Amino acid sequence: MTYYQKLEQHYKKYARLGHLSAICGWDQASMMPAGGNEARSEAMAELAVLSHQLLTEPQLADWFDLAERESLAGEEQVSLKEMKRSWQMANLLPESLVQEQSLTGSKCEHAWRTQRAENNWHDFSKNLEPVVELARKEAQIRSEETGLSRYDALLDLYEPGMTTKELDQLFADLKSWLPSLIQQVQEKQGTETVITPQGPFPIEAQREISLEVMNKLGFDFNHGRLDISVHPFCGGVPTDVRITTRYDEDDFTSALMGVIHETGHARYEQGLPAQWHNLPAGEARSMGLHESQSLFFEMQLARNETFIGLLAPLAQGAFMRPDDQALTSDNLALVSTRVKPDFIRVDADEVTYPAHIILRYEIERDLIEGNIEVADIPELWDRKMNEYLGLSTKGNYTDGCMQDIHWTDGSFGYFPSYTLGAMYAAQFMAAMRKEMNIENLIRERNLTPIFNWLDKHIWKKASTLSTDQILINATGERLNAEYFKKHLIDRYLK
Amino acid sequence: MTYYQKLEQHYKKYARLGHLSAICGWDQASMMPAGGNEARSEAMAELAVLSHQLLTEPQLADWFDLAERESLAGEEQVSLKEMKRSWQMANLLPESLVQEQSLTGSKCEHAWRTQRAENNWHDFSKNLEPVVELARKEAQIRSEETGLSRYDALLDLYEPGMTTKELDQLFADLKSWLPSLIQQVQEKQGTETVITPQGPFPIEAQREISLEVMNKLGFDFNHGRLDISVHPFCGGVPTDVRITTRYDEDDFTSALMGVIHETGHARYEQGLPAQWHNLPAGEARSMGLHESQSLFFEMQLARNETFIGLLAPLAQGAFMRPDDQALTSDNLALVSTRVKPDFIRVDADEVTYPAHIILRYEIERDLIEGNIEVADIPELWDRKMNEYLGLSTKGNYTDGCMQDIHWTDGSFGYFPSYTLGAMYAAQFMAAMRKEMNIENLIRERNLTPIFNWLDKHIWKKASTLSTDQILINATGERLNAEYFKKHLIDRYLK
Ligand SMILES: [Zn+2]
Ligand SMILES: [Zn+2]
């Protein structure tokens, strides 16, 4: 057996433990009764230790050295490179730091669940400070090893290749036109009459529509399921993708759009190349690219008014309301594209969402680089919310800087993925439109060419190319925010 | 840290991996889409290897030696003894034999699924022969190590302390009165008029009754769930017990009695002492004792006609059939106690069930001891079925010697547990009756004293006592089949 093969075997073992963790994690969020939590958390932690041990076994350094001297096929070289990236990521940090981060993050997150409801910034900030300190230590170590800046070294975990330099440019551009766009859209929408659909919309009927739409969107039910959880997510493994949603009897559109979003994530996973399953080269390329697929499905496809033309009759049928004026295609298209600056990121519309992200990016970047401190966050949050969305969060931590889970457990560098995803998605759609008439395909209920394009250019590439290269191969150029801008103007101002 | 504590820690780690295996196994049977099976099986196999490695780490031998010289509290000595038993069981067999057994068993079981349907004994027996050969090898090794006979050494895996000598006696006694009892019961029942309930019985209503009955039976939904699987089982972990059932629209009694049966298994697990969770001393004592709890719930309690008096109104209500004469207490009591010799063990009633077990016991005992060969099975099966139940299985392998899964993967020594469980259950009920009026408690809907008795005498004892000692403490004597006989006569002939 070659050393490359030894490494492959080792990584497949690692992936199999990841499989168990993914399924038990899904179970914990969607099936497990509350009383099972303690033992489950212990079992998952034990597995995490075993997995980490696998990636830090001392012989791996030699194996990588030796494998690099073997004569490998081109795709094996790519696979080796991704295994090595994963190995380096796992071995950079001292065990003690990883453990301290895990404990400190768990403590902060656990307390945050009550503190957020109580608007208790004072106590929360005391827990957040050590989390930030440890993240800075991690950033420092990663920075020294990679030569990247401290924040970039964290960003690289989620969006390999992306840098502060590029983000600063992209977001400066966005900031230059977004506030006025938001204002123009609001003025335009102020003249429109929208009928808000009135519940109750029975859960069973909502589930029925969800499954039907997932079918139309090509979700493979032989390799996945739809269930319920408090916080919707896409989990499981590529051969068995578990997506979840949360139904609201008063509003069927949020669950429906949520299911479509997760279906985008799911198809990326289901579409990953089988020959690379269980190896790093076979994983989704980046968080931003992952989000580009969910946002392609939700924003580019499902909120397109032609697509709403398919959803409306489904809703009218499932809820047995053939004559409900709130469920006409035209009205649902309006409902699905409302724009309104508000406090909560996860509830934000497509137009105001980037403002939430830029705000968080600017704060976490400066926090990790050591330019600001935890105590500075509330004032910065308030000032930026005023600037970007015209809202004040003064004294309102619950709906301000305490709303997200990301920082509580130390996931700094993740937020940009959301807006990168939106930009990638718009760029993919623009490229696709050069090859096909999207609206005609939707009207003909023939979405296959669309999915085939994504499958060929993104899903089947997995991590065998860089994000940049995937974008260039698929669209002819690197990330270009103009497509996102044009998408918003076309949809919201025309 | 003492060596005893080191061992405890090691076993808790082992149990946490077992937790993940239990949940992923439950998922595989009740949730997983078919396309997820291959990757899941690989992941589970990887975990099994890791678990086995934990129990065979070389330092454990020293740790046990050193721990045995430590001054330990009484209950620690018990715990150490059970850890050592588990360790010895895992270390007796050479790795190569374990692997060969796993491969050969999987192959035989996999092919059996089609061969059984095709009544293809010829091909099946070719796969069964090596399975038996390997089981004989295992029995030989275990026999040499334990001093038990070869079959007893396998029996000991499922029912520690039980021997061929005792089983031969118990079953010889049973055989002396069972055939005539069956005949008498059939004659008596021939004169009774029973109305078979006519479906459809909607699944949703069946599930509703199941949940309500589980509640009445004290199932803790904060530490468990009810779901659906093709083959009902009780899985999960003590803090999160997963039971399953299978609904039939034409017959609600089978799912209902199945749920009650699994609830008995579940309460044993949920009732295991928390201070011993994740350690061998905290596990259920034996397969027979486990089955005694499910059969106590199903046979001793639920098929008692006073208890049927509680179930009948539930059924009438859930199915909205207040006047259905098939759903009266009296008729349902008759329905729940029908006796009819038939071919299939899993569908057998309480009276004929032991005949199925004795037959299997006699064959597997002689097979493992080398007194008969695989080729002898069909003729023996036919002869014994004729003798015990008056039925011929000549040429009918599907409903004869190919009906069970147990032998296909080499689980020889398991079958006696079913009938031992039935006997234990009857003995427990007889002892309980000396302390309380069961029928009055049922009528008063006050089952708590019954469950408290089981909790105190069985569940909370876990594996800290031998089965014999549990029986003696709980009932004042060792296993005595007279209670089972008396139970059958009281229920079926009076
Ligand atoms: Zn997403
Ligand atoms: Zn059972």
Side-chain angles (χ1 to χ4, degrees):
Chain A
M1 196 183 289
T2 66
Y3 286 96
Y4 170 78
Q5 285 167 334
K6 276 176 195 279
L7 284 167
E8 265 208 341
Q9 209 172 50
H10 196 76
Y11 262 90
K12 285 187 176 172
K13 190 168 172 178
Y14 175 72
R16 289 190 188 115
L17 299 193
H19 178 135
L20 303 169
S21 174
I23 296 301
C24 287
W26 164 85
D27 182 273
Q28 195 168 21
S30 67
M31 295 284 153
M32 189 189 72
N37 194 52
E38 195 183 331
R40 176 67 55 83
S41 300
E42 286 173 10
M44 302 270 290
E46 195 71 61
L47 187 65
V49 169
L50 279 175
S51 295
H52 186 69
Q53 280 171 358
L54 274 187
L55 284 204
T56 54
E57 286 185 8
Q59 78 278 19
L60 293 177
D62 289 341
W63 289 8
F64 276 110
D65 279 350
L66 293 161
E68 281 169 352
R69 286 182 231 156
E70 289 172 345
S71 89
L72 300 174
E75 56 180 18
E76 288 172 338
Q77 286 173 24
V78 169
S79 171
L80 181 62
K81 189 176 142 235
E82 290 302 319
M83 287 195 279
K84 193 164 180 185
R85 176 180 144 82
S86 146
W87 173 70
Q88 284 171 327
M89 291 287 182
N91 283 273
L92 270 178
L93 304 183
E95 203 76 14
S96 58
L97 178 60
V98 174
Q99 279 176 11
E100 215 183 334
Q101 281 184 312
S102 166
L103 284 174
T104 314
S106 297
K107 186 183 160 196
C108 182
E109 182 188 323
H110 185 79
W112 163 75
R113 294 181 188 277
T114 5
Q115 287 161 349
R116 185 192 170 195
E118 294 163 351
N119 199 37
N120 184 350
W121 167 256
H122 180 266
D123 290 352
F124 175 65
S125 68
K126 293 279 162 285
N127 288 334
L128 185 59
E129 277 164 8
V131 172
V132 170
E133 265 327 300
L134 294 167
R136 284 171 173 171
K137 270 192 200 168
E138 175 181 355
Q140 182 63 36
I141 295 170
R142 294 194 183 279
S143 162
E144 282 164 19
E145 193 72 21
T146 57
L148 298 169
S149 82
R150 277 172 290 188
Y151 181 72
D152 285 5
L154 297 187
L155 188 59
D156 199 60
L157 291 168
Y158 307 106
E159 199 62 19
M162 184 52 62
T163 62
T164 302
K165 192 172 163 223
E166 187 166 2
L167 283 178
D168 283 346
Q169 249 168 1
L170 284 166
F171 289 169
D173 172 54
L174 248 172
K175 273 161 72 174
S176 74
W177 51 264
L178 193 65
S180 87
L181 177 71
I182 292 173
Q183 207 176 338
Q184 284 173 277
V185 173
Q186 283 201 278
E187 276 162 24
K188 175 168 181 287
Q189 295 195 343
T191 67
E192 294 168 355
T193 311
V194 186
I195 314 168
T196 305
Q198 299 296 319
F201 299 102
I203 306 299
E204 253 320 301
Q206 289 196 50
R207 178 169 157 82
E208 204 181 283
I209 303 180
S210 298
L211 294 173
E212 199 160 340
V213 172
M214 285 168 74
N215 251 319
K216 279 190 203 302
L217 295 175
F219 184 94
D220 178 357
F221 284 95
N222 190 39
H223 290 102
R225 298 177 47 101
L226 168 68
D227 294 280
I228 294 174
S229 72
V230 178
H231 304 286
F233 66 94
C234 170
V237 294
T239 52
D240 185 2
V241 178
R242 307 289 173 98
I243 71 172
T244 68
T245 189
R246 174 180 48 180
Y247 299 105
D248 176 354
E249 282 223 318
D250 295 329
D251 170 23
F252 73 94
T253 58
S254 74
L256 181 56
M257 286 299 165
V259 165
I260 292 170
H261 180 100
E262 301 306 335
T263 300
H265 282 303
R267 288 224 55 188
Y268 190 3
E269 291 290 319
Q270 290 182 336
L272 290 168
Q275 77 268 31
W276 291 113
H277 275 171
N278 286 341
L279 291 172
E283 290 171 13
R285 175 69 277 183
S286 74
M287 289 299 134
L289 222 47
H290 226 307
E291 198 65 13
S292 81
Q293 298 309 290
S294 55
L295 291 177
F296 186 95
F297 275 62
E298 181 192 350
M299 299 301 179
Q300 298 297 326
L301 210 51
R303 292 186 198 260
N304 177 313
E305 67 176 317
T306 315
F307 196 91
I308 300 282
L310 304 188
L311 295 180
L314 276 186
Q316 292 159 17
F319 302 125
M320 294 182 284
R321 302 190 188 190
D323 302 319
D324 187 339
Q325 289 309 301
L327 302 190
T328 62
S329 292
D330 289 348
N331 188 65
L332 283 181
L334 292 174
V335 167
S336 305
T337 49
R338 285 308 84 187
V339 172
K340 184 170 176 290
D342 216 329
F343 293 106
I344 305 299
R345 176 185 59 84
V346 293
D347 298 334
D349 57 79
E350 176 179 30
V351 182
T352 58
Y353 205 106
H356 293 276
I357 294 306
I358 295 173
L359 174 157
R360 285 158 176 77
Y361 161 69
E362 291 172 340
I363 294 177
E364 70 175 18
R365 176 198 61 198
D366 290 351
L367 205 53
I368 294 300
E369 295 292 356
N371 302 326
I372 60 168
E373 294 304 325
V374 167
D376 303 322
I377 296 177
E379 201 201 311
L380 282 168
W381 197 285
D382 178 51
R383 191 190 324 147
K384 287 172 192 287
M385 276 299 280
N386 263 304
E387 191 181 330
Y388 306 156
L389 291 172
L391 295 166
S392 168
T393 58
K394 200 156 194 160
N396 182 358
Y397 311 105
T398 304
D399 300 325
C401 59
M402 284 177 72
Q403 70 182 270
D404 298 303
I405 196 173
H406 301 60
W407 292 346
T408 68
D409 70 353
S411 299
F412 297 94
Y414 189 102
F415 279 124
S417 312
Y418 295 107
T419 292
L420 289 171
M423 291 173 169
Y424 296 148
Q427 187 164 335
F428 292 143
M429 183 55 108
M432 222 181 270
R433 283 187 185 283
K434 291 181 195 152
E435 298 177 29
M436 53 190 100
N437 184 320
I438 299 292
E439 280 70 22
N440 274 355
L441 289 172
I442 296 174
R443 266 187 291 268
E444 291 161 6
R445 292 171 162 66
N446 175 22
L447 304 177
T448 310
I450 298 174
F451 302 140
N452 284 349
W453 193 98
L454 295 171
D455 184 62
K456 179 182 160 196
H457 289 103
I458 298 143
W459 308 341
K460 285 291 176 289
K461 293 295 180 275
S463 285
T464 62
L465 298 174
S466 68
T467 304
D468 255 11
Q469 204 54 57
I470 288 174
L471 273 159
I472 292 167
N473 290 2
T475 71
E477 57 186 314
R478 296 190 65 230
L479 174 55
N480 181 345
E482 284 306 306
Y483 297 107
F484 181 54
K485 182 176 178 183
K486 184 162 182 307
H487 160 69
L488 294 183
I489 291 170
D490 284 352
R491 175 169 292 170
Y492 292 94
L493 288 183
K494 286 188 177 161
Chain B
M1 195 183 290
T2 66
Y3 286 96
Y4 171 77
Q5 286 166 334
K6 277 176 194 276
L7 284 166
E8 266 208 341
Q9 210 173 49
H10 196 78
Y11 262 90
K12 285 185 176 174
K13 190 169 171 178
Y14 175 71
R16 290 189 188 114
L17 300 193
H19 177 135
L20 302 169
S21 174
I23 296 300
C24 287
W26 164 86
D27 182 273
Q28 194 168 22
S30 67
M31 295 284 153
M32 189 188 72
N37 194 52
E38 194 182 332
R40 176 67 54 83
S41 301
E42 285 173 11
M44 302 269 291
E46 194 71 60
L47 187 65
V49 169
L50 279 174
S51 296
H52 186 69
Q53 280 171 357
L54 274 187
L55 284 203
T56 53
E57 286 186 7
Q59 79 276 20
L60 292 177
D62 290 342
W63 289 9
F64 277 110
D65 280 351
L66 293 160
E68 281 168 353
R69 287 182 231 157
E70 289 172 343
S71 91
L72 299 175
E75 57 180 18
E76 288 173 338
Q77 286 173 26
V78 169
S79 172
L80 182 61
K81 190 176 141 234
E82 290 302 319
M83 287 194 279
K84 192 163 181 185
R85 175 179 146 82
S86 146
W87 172 70
Q88 285 172 325
M89 291 287 183
N91 283 273
L92 269 179
L93 304 184
E95 202 77 11
S96 59
L97 178 59
V98 175
Q99 279 175 12
E100 214 183 337
Q101 281 184 312
S102 167
L103 283 174
T104 314
S106 297
K107 186 183 160 196
C108 182
E109 183 188 323
H110 185 80
W112 164 75
R113 293 178 191 279
T114 7
Q115 287 161 348
R116 184 190 171 198
E118 293 163 351
N119 200 36
N120 184 351
W121 166 256
H122 181 267
D123 289 352
F124 174 66
S125 67
K126 292 278 162 289
N127 288 333
L128 185 60
E129 277 164 8
V131 172
V132 170
E133 264 329 299
L134 293 167
R136 284 172 174 169
K137 270 192 198 167
E138 175 182 356
Q140 181 63 35
I141 293 170
R142 294 195 182 279
S143 161
E144 281 163 20
E145 194 72 21
T146 57
L148 298 169
S149 81
R150 278 172 289 188
Y151 181 74
D152 285 4
L154 297 187
L155 189 58
D156 199 61
L157 292 168
Y158 308 103
E159 200 61 20
M162 185 51 63
T163 61
T164 302
K165 192 174 162 220
E166 187 167 1
L167 282 178
D168 283 346
Q169 250 168 2
L170 283 166
F171 289 168
D173 173 53
L174 248 171
K175 275 161 69 173
S176 73
W177 52 264
L178 193 64
S180 88
L181 177 71
I182 293 171
Q183 205 176 341
Q184 284 173 277
V185 174
Q186 283 202 277
E187 276 162 24
K188 175 167 181 288
Q189 295 195 342
T191 67
E192 295 167 354
T193 311
V194 186
I195 314 167
T196 305
Q198 298 297 319
F201 299 103
I203 306 298
E204 253 320 302
Q206 289 195 50
R207 178 170 157 82
E208 203 181 282
I209 304 179
S210 298
L211 294 173
E212 199 160 342
V213 172
M214 285 168 74
N215 250 320
K216 278 189 205 299
L217 295 175
F219 184 94
D220 178 357
F221 284 96
N222 189 40
H223 291 103
R225 297 176 49 99
L226 168 68
D227 295 279
I228 294 174
S229 71
V230 178
H231 304 287
F233 67 94
C234 170
V237 295
T239 53
D240 186 1
V241 178
R242 308 288 173 97
I243 71 172
T244 67
T245 188
R246 174 179 48 180
Y247 300 106
D248 176 353
E249 282 224 317
D250 296 329
D251 169 23
F252 73 94
T253 59
S254 74
L256 181 56
M257 286 300 164
V259 165
I260 293 170
H261 180 100
E262 301 305 336
T263 300
H265 282 303
R267 288 223 57 188
Y268 190 4
E269 291 289 320
Q270 291 182 336
L272 290 168
Q275 76 268 29
W276 291 115
H277 275 172
N278 285 342
L279 291 172
E283 289 172 14
R285 176 68 279 183
S286 73
M287 290 298 134
L289 223 46
H290 226 308
E291 198 65 14
S292 81
Q293 299 307 290
S294 55
L295 292 177
F296 186 95
F297 275 60
E298 181 191 349
M299 299 301 179
Q300 298 296 327
L301 209 50
R303 292 186 198 259
N304 177 313
E305 67 176 318
T306 315
F307 196 91
I308 300 281
L310 305 187
L311 295 180
L314 275 186
Q316 292 159 17
F319 302 125
M320 294 181 287
R321 301 190 188 190
D323 303 318
D324 188 339
Q325 289 309 301
L327 301 190
T328 63
S329 293
D330 289 347
N331 188 65
L332 284 181
L334 293 175
V335 167
S336 306
T337 49
R338 287 306 84 186
V339 172
K340 184 170 176 289
D342 216 330
F343 293 105
I344 306 298
R345 175 184 60 84
V346 294
D347 298 332
D349 57 80
E350 172 178 36
V351 182
T352 58
Y353 205 107
H356 292 277
I357 294 305
I358 296 172
L359 173 157
R360 285 158 178 76
Y361 161 70
E362 291 172 339
I363 293 177
E364 69 176 17
R365 177 199 60 199
D366 291 350
L367 206 51
I368 294 300
E369 296 291 357
N371 302 327
I372 60 169
E373 295 303 326
V374 166
D376 301 323
I377 296 177
E379 201 201 311
L380 281 167
W381 196 285
D382 178 51
R383 193 194 319 149
K384 287 172 193 288
M385 276 298 281
N386 263 306
E387 192 180 330
Y388 306 156
L389 292 173
L391 296 166
S392 168
T393 58
K394 197 153 197 161
N396 182 359
Y397 311 105
T398 304
D399 301 324
C401 59
M402 284 177 72
Q403 68 181 271
D404 299 302
I405 196 172
H406 301 61
W407 292 346
T408 67
D409 69 354
S411 300
F412 297 93
Y414 189 102
F415 279 124
S417 311
Y418 295 106
T419 291
L420 289 170
M423 291 174 170
Y424 296 148
Q427 189 165 335
F428 291 143
M429 183 54 109
M432 223 181 269
R433 284 187 184 281
K434 291 180 192 152
E435 298 175 29
M436 54 190 100
N437 184 320
I438 299 292
E439 280 70 22
N440 275 354
L441 290 172
I442 296 173
R443 266 187 291 268
E444 292 160 6
R445 291 169 165 66
N446 175 22
L447 305 177
T448 311
I450 299 174
F451 301 139
N452 284 349
W453 193 99
L454 295 171
D455 184 63
K456 178 181 162 199
H457 290 103
I458 297 142
W459 308 341
K460 284 294 176 286
K461 294 295 181 275
S463 285
T464 63
L465 298 174
S466 69
T467 305
D468 254 12
Q469 203 55 57
I470 288 173
L471 274 160
I472 292 167
N473 291 2
T475 71
E477 57 186 312
R478 295 190 66 230
L479 174 56
N480 180 344
E482 283 306 306
Y483 297 106
F484 181 54
K485 182 176 178 183
K486 184 164 181 307
H487 159 70
L488 293 183
I489 291 170
D490 284 352
R491 175 169 292 169
Y492 293 93
L493 287 184
K494 285 187 177 161

